[in-house]
Amino acid sequence: MTTTISIIGSGNMASAIGTRAAQHGHSVELLSRNTAKAQALADQIGKGATVGTFGARPAGDIVILAVLYDGVVDAVTNYGDALAGKILVDISNPFNADASGLVTPSSAAQEVAAAAPESAHVVKALNTIFGHVLAKGTPLDAFIAGDSAEAKATVAAFLDSMELRTLDAGGLQAASLLESAGLLLMGLARNGAGFDLALGAEVS
């Protein structure tokens, strides 16, 4: 499976996801308010990675929201109807200032869904993997949640193509569980496990 993905953002996760996707044959479009930073990242990724116009309709059917929680709803609102019909992958963790708790009673993904066009489908994914660990290219478990079975199947096929084993946690209400798992990951990393850490599940 090869596809075009669009990544909104130009930070560490955008770099890790974009690089891994390009290495597995996918076309990557980068979208950022900072065009120069996006171009530098596209040049770093290589393999035909392009820079799109921030706010314009993304080229990819899968749009990865690689921005921090405090900017993710704003980004979706900024794009508005340009995201109609797209699969939106929310990777954010709604951490408080010192990453010791979560700041939303629902989930970041549900807030994204509320702000997105009705025809868009939100899938929570990749929030339980540190960017530098994802960038290593090793096989990892990737947990997802979402209300659209078709959208989840599309995202799962994309993740699986990058040597990630996708595990479905359920509907979008399960996004809060995945965000709590992101908090668990941070707690483990800070309290002895170190940051070269990934969460996984033993499936027999």
Side-chain angles (χ1 to χ4, degrees):
M1 172 211 170
T2 59
T3 189
T4 298
I5 64 160
S6 295
I7 302 174
I8 298 176
S10 54
N12 290 338
M13 282 299 285
S15 174
I17 296 166
T19 299
R20 191 155 177 156
Q23 288 172 343
H24 287 85
H26 300 287
S27 298
V28 176
E29 177 192 46
L30 298 167
L31 301 156
S32 174
R33 282 190 171 93
N34 189 332
T35 305
K37 190 175 180 183
Q39 187 60 60
L41 180 53
D43 293 343
Q44 175 189 316
I45 292 172
K47 298 187 183 296
T50 61
V51 176
T53 303
F54 187 82
R57 185 166 174 81
D61 291 329
I62 298 174
V63 180
I64 296 169
L65 306 171
V67 294
L68 295 175
Y69 168 69
D70 60 6
V72 70
V73 169
D74 180 58
V76 171
T77 303
N78 186 288
Y79 273 82
D81 288 341
L83 298 177
K86 300 291 187 180
I87 297 171
L88 308 181
V89 179
D90 170 43
I91 70 168
S92 67
N93 280 310
F95 293 160
N96 61 11
D98 65 356
S100 64
L102 303 176
V103 297
T104 173
S106 57
S107 69
Q110 287 168 300
E111 292 176 358
V112 166
E118 193 173 339
S119 61
H121 300 290
V122 177
V123 176
K124 188 77 187 184
L126 299 176
N127 72 298
T128 58
I129 304 175
F130 288 128
H132 66 277
V133 174
L134 184 64
K136 291 179 180 179
T138 53
L140 297 163
D141 283 351
F143 303 95
I144 67 171
D147 288 338
S148 167
E150 185 178 351
K152 284 196 291 188
T154 299
V155 171
F158 167 64
L159 296 177
D160 291 348
S161 76
M162 298 193 298
E163 296 183 70
L164 300 172
R165 182 179 66 159
T166 307
L167 296 167
D168 188 345
L172 202 61
Q173 76 277 2
S176 61
L177 301 177
L178 298 187
E179 291 166 10
S180 293
L183 194 64
L184 171 65
L185 179 71
M186 183 65 75
L188 292 170
R190 287 177 165 175
N191 290 281
F195 284 85
D196 284 333
L197 172 70
L199 297 181
E202 187 169 336
V203 181
S204 58

